[in-house]
Amino acid sequence: MRNWKSALILRRQAVSAAKGYSYCRRTVTSLSCLSDESDNLVVVEGESGIRTAILNRPSSLNALNTSLVAQLQKLYTSWEENPDIGFVILKGAGRSFSAGGDIVSLYNLIKKGNVEDCKLFFWTIYSFIYFLGTYLKPNVALLNGITMGGGAGISIPGTFRIATDKTIFATPETLIGFHPDAAASFYLSHLPGYLGEYLALTGEKLNGPEMMSCGLATHFTSNTKLPLLEDELRNLVTDDPSVLESFLAKRGDAVLPDKSSVIHRIELIDKCFRHDTVEEIIDSLKTEACAAKGKDLWCESTLTKLKEAAPLSLKVSLRSIREGRFQTLDRCLIREYRMSLQGISGKITDDFVQGIRAKLVDKDLKPE
């Protein structure tokens, strides 16, 4: 296991870097739309050596709000301090792990001018992600179903991520005028080649085998085998990551991406997305599309995705991924936090509000 004192030092460094933000000391009881008083937002199962935390907002695809993540933080803290608990399992109720943050509620708060609660929303989620990334005990995330945005953020920095044939991963923030956040600039920037830039800018989806292939998932199992795997995990008594690794490796399935998968286009992705600017990336894709003479439509479909995204979001997201390659998890989260506050402030652009309105509120698909 990781050294207790080292992890605490890392956390203190992150907290010290954030001094001066008075809202981080506020209590969740002051929240409105992004909070609810239910004690059932996280359901806990398990006794003796393990605990299972279940995200329990299935009707909202387990979208994250401040109260839910604050409950996770409290539970994970108590389990870390309990010497009788060896490891933690994290899963979602229903057909989704988590579709990300509750951005419609965030939109409503912004429209009301309630910026302080928006700040606390981001701060609570980002703080938990850092806590998970430095957790002293193994964490096993069962990514069965939709795993997007903040849902990926509260799972990928952990020790183990198990994908299934039902898993759908994406960071679609540029499509709503935002940037891939919740540690996305950290984990996307560490993917092979320039795959991270491609996923960040286009919002393209990956399935379970693709996640396994590029390293976003550590193990894979079929959806039908997942209940048995969970039962066996509950009977495992250990706090040793190497024991869990061996256990999961023996029970996981070997999978390869489909022949049509974007994973097989990594050389072309590298060729087009290695450039320093969005304009150069677009020009490169156009050049490749012309060279293909209509025989390969991938470049054209990628160009279409980029045209659907907010132009400023493309530029901001590209720079974010590039900076993430040279920053630690805590530095990425602090930078993303500042970027997110700019995104919701409306001082530079209303792209975020327009994106949510067009995609999820009015659903006219015509952001201004």
Side-chain angles (χ1 to χ4, degrees):
M1 291 178 64
R2 282 166 287 185
N3 182 273
W4 176 282
K5 291 183 179 178
S6 297
L8 288 181
I9 290 171
L10 284 171
R11 289 182 195 153
R12 286 176 186 141
Q13 287 174 342
V15 171
S16 296
K19 281 183 177 178
Y21 296 119
S22 60
Y23 47 82
C24 71
R25 296 189 292 273
R26 291 175 57 196
T27 60
V28 295
T29 55
S30 65
L31 295 175
S32 51
C33 294
L34 283 170
S35 174
D36 60 60
E37 298 177 357
S38 172
D39 293 327
N40 241 13
L41 295 174
V42 181
V43 175
V44 177
E45 293 181 350
E47 298 177 355
S48 64
I50 73 141
R51 293 292 185 275
T52 300
I54 305 173
L55 309 178
N56 192 36
R57 298 187 74 203
S59 61
S60 302
L61 301 179
N62 299 319
L64 306 176
N65 63 21
T66 312
S67 293
L68 185 153
V69 180
Q71 285 186 29
L72 274 181
Q73 177 81 55
K74 183 178 180 180
L75 289 167
Y76 268 67
T77 300
S78 67
W79 295 336
E80 185 180 62
E81 296 170 352
N82 187 339
D84 296 327
I85 296 175
F87 65 95
V88 178
I89 299 172
L90 181 63
K91 59 182 287 188
R95 62 189 180 93
S96 174
F97 174 75
S98 173
D102 190 345
I103 56 175
V104 173
S105 293
L106 190 61
Y107 166 88
N108 290 328
L109 283 178
I110 295 171
K111 295 295 286 184
K112 293 177 182 177
N114 194 345
V115 178
E116 290 303 307
D117 284 352
C118 297
K119 290 180 180 179
L120 188 55
F121 167 73
F122 288 113
W123 183 259
T124 303
I125 293 178
Y126 294 4
S127 296
F128 176 72
I129 291 169
Y130 178 72
F131 189 80
L132 178 69
T134 58
Y135 203 55
L136 299 178
K137 296 182 178 181
N139 183 80
V140 182
L142 306 180
L143 308 181
N144 194 37
I146 299 170
T147 305
M148 295 185 180
I154 64 165
S155 55
I156 290 177
T159 324
F160 302 107
R161 291 90 61 193
I162 302 175
T164 76
D165 47 321
K166 298 292 185 180
T167 303
I168 302 173
F169 164 87
T171 51
E173 286 81 3
T174 61
L175 303 178
I176 55 168
F178 207 53
H179 64 100
D181 67 323
S185 70
F186 179 77
Y187 65 76
L188 288 181
S189 66
H190 288 76
L191 295 183
Y194 293 91
L195 179 62
E197 280 88 338
Y198 167 75
L199 294 174
L201 269 58
T202 64
E204 183 64 288
K205 299 180 181 68
L206 295 182
N207 59 29
E210 289 170 327
M211 289 185 72
M212 182 70 182
S213 178
C214 70
L216 286 170
T218 58
H219 300 83
F220 179 90
T221 188
S222 67
N223 178 61
T224 56
K225 294 181 181 179
L226 193 58
L228 176 60
L229 178 62
E230 286 187 62
D231 288 340
E232 292 179 333
L233 276 170
R234 292 190 185 99
N235 294 322
L236 188 63
V237 181
T238 186
D239 62 358
D240 188 341
S242 63
V243 173
L244 267 168
E245 166 63 40
S246 178
F247 171 87
L248 293 172
K250 290 178 181 177
R251 286 157 180 78
D253 298 327
V255 289
L256 292 172
D258 186 84
K259 290 182 179 180
S260 62
S261 170
V262 70
I263 299 298
H264 297 301
R265 297 183 181 272
I266 193 67
E267 291 185 5
L268 184 54
I269 287 174
D270 289 352
K271 185 176 181 180
C272 295
F273 282 82
R274 63 183 173 83
H275 297 289
D276 294 333
T277 67
V278 174
E279 289 86 351
E280 289 174 303
I281 290 172
I282 290 173
D283 287 343
S284 182
L285 285 165
K286 288 180 177 177
T287 299
E288 294 298 323
C290 289
K293 296 180 179 179
K295 295 180 181 178
D296 188 341
L297 299 179
W298 179 82
C299 287
E300 293 181 11
S301 66
T302 301
L303 284 166
T304 299
K305 292 184 179 72
L306 293 176
K307 290 177 182 177
E308 292 173 353
L312 181 58
S313 291
L314 293 176
K315 290 177 174 288
V316 168
S317 300
L318 179 61
R319 178 170 175 179
S320 180
I321 300 300
R322 294 285 161 83
E323 291 192 6
R325 277 198 173 88
F326 305 100
Q327 294 178 332
T328 56
L329 174 63
D330 58 325
R331 298 312 304 174
C332 283
L333 286 166
I334 290 169
R335 174 176 47 74
E336 288 178 3
Y337 176 76
R338 292 168 178 155
M339 293 167 62
S340 295
L341 295 197
Q342 289 287 354
I344 67 173
S345 69
K347 293 178 180 178
I348 299 173
T349 175
D350 284 326
D351 284 356
F352 183 47
V353 170
Q354 276 295 319
I356 298 174
R357 181 202 61 75
K359 291 278 186 179
L360 300 171
V361 179
D362 297 338
K363 299 181 181 180
D364 59 13
L365 303 181
K366 295 179 181 180
E368 296 176 5

